[in-house]
Amino acid sequence: MTALLRYQTSLLLRSQRWLPPVVLYAAALGIGVQGGQPVLDSLGWAAAVLLPVAAWLVRICVASEPPAARGCVSAARGPGRAHLAAVLAALAVAVVLGAVATVVVTMISDPVGTGHGTRVPPLPAAGAGLLAALVCALLGTAVGALTAWPVLRSPGRAVPALLLAALLALVAAGSPARAAVGDLVAGSRSGAVPLPLLPLAGAAVIAVAATAAACALSSRRSSA
């Protein structure tokens, strides 16, 4: 699996197809995060906009190989393992993006709550922001896994489905991403730094289930 992960990550980085989602993420941060804003509010925005970026990265990774190359890798390691490596490579890139954004946002934001009346400790805030980013990266990975090949093979259906699913993952009641971002916003109002462990557990379960389903389907369709 380590060799497959290296292969998929190298394939993604050398293709430069990662540039559009990364540029989109940087632009969204530039629009929504300004120096001197309350740190938890800014971290909530940074985590939220990571979700569609993670979904986009998954779509790029699972479709980056030519059919012949995909067939060779699948024959050598199994289609399920090959697909899993592609999804994990996208997740790893999304997590790195989220971690870098968390550090930058924490550094430029004001360590205070909403209204600038309550001080918020920067290091715990950064930890909470990193957990929220991980929640959104995991849920975005689930969205990407369920809206790309082999689940949806037509781009005309897959792209709108990805956008709609990403939006629902952010706003639907009970969504781990909504809970994690909401905890940061509520913490900014109260001055208490949240610890979104329950949303993290929920996002992990959803991501594992979605990825497992996509990998199982890739095995069946590759052998068909």
Side-chain angles (χ1 to χ4, degrees):
M1 182 57 74
T2 302
L4 281 174
L5 283 172
R6 285 201 302 264
Y7 166 71
Q8 291 290 349
T9 304
S10 174
L11 197 65
L12 173 64
L13 296 179
R14 284 190 286 109
S15 72
Q16 297 187 354
R17 295 177 69 186
W18 53 269
L19 276 172
V22 171
V23 170
L24 172 67
Y25 189 49
L29 290 179
I31 293 171
V33 177
Q34 303 295 328
Q37 289 180 336
V39 62
L40 291 176
D41 289 332
S42 297
L43 288 171
W45 173 262
V49 296
L50 182 63
L51 195 153
V53 172
W56 191 354
L57 286 169
V58 171
R59 177 169 177 79
I60 289 172
C61 282
V62 301
S64 61
E65 293 174 286
R70 183 189 300 147
C72 290
V73 174
S74 297
R77 296 299 181 92
R81 288 170 63 86
H83 194 77
L84 175 61
V87 174
L88 291 179
L91 174 60
V93 173
V95 170
V96 170
L97 279 177
V100 171
T102 297
V103 172
V104 173
V105 168
T106 303
M107 291 177 62
I108 67 173
S109 298
D110 205 357
V112 295
T114 304
H116 298 262
T118 307
R119 180 168 177 80
V120 175
L123 287 180
L130 186 59
L131 289 177
L134 183 55
V135 169
C136 291
L138 286 167
L139 211 57
T141 298
V143 169
L146 295 177
T147 58
W149 187 91
V151 181
L152 295 177
R153 290 181 285 183
S154 168
R157 295 181 179 179
V159 173
L162 185 151
L163 295 174
L164 179 59
L167 177 62
L168 290 175
L170 285 171
V171 303
S175 165
R178 177 179 174 179
V181 174
D183 285 348
L184 289 176
V185 174
S188 182
R189 295 192 185 113
S190 66
V193 178
L195 196 62
L197 294 180
L198 187 58
L200 178 60
V205 170
I206 293 172
V208 169
T211 303
C215 290
L217 188 57
S218 72
S219 296
R220 290 200 294 270
R221 288 191 169 172
S222 296
S223 60

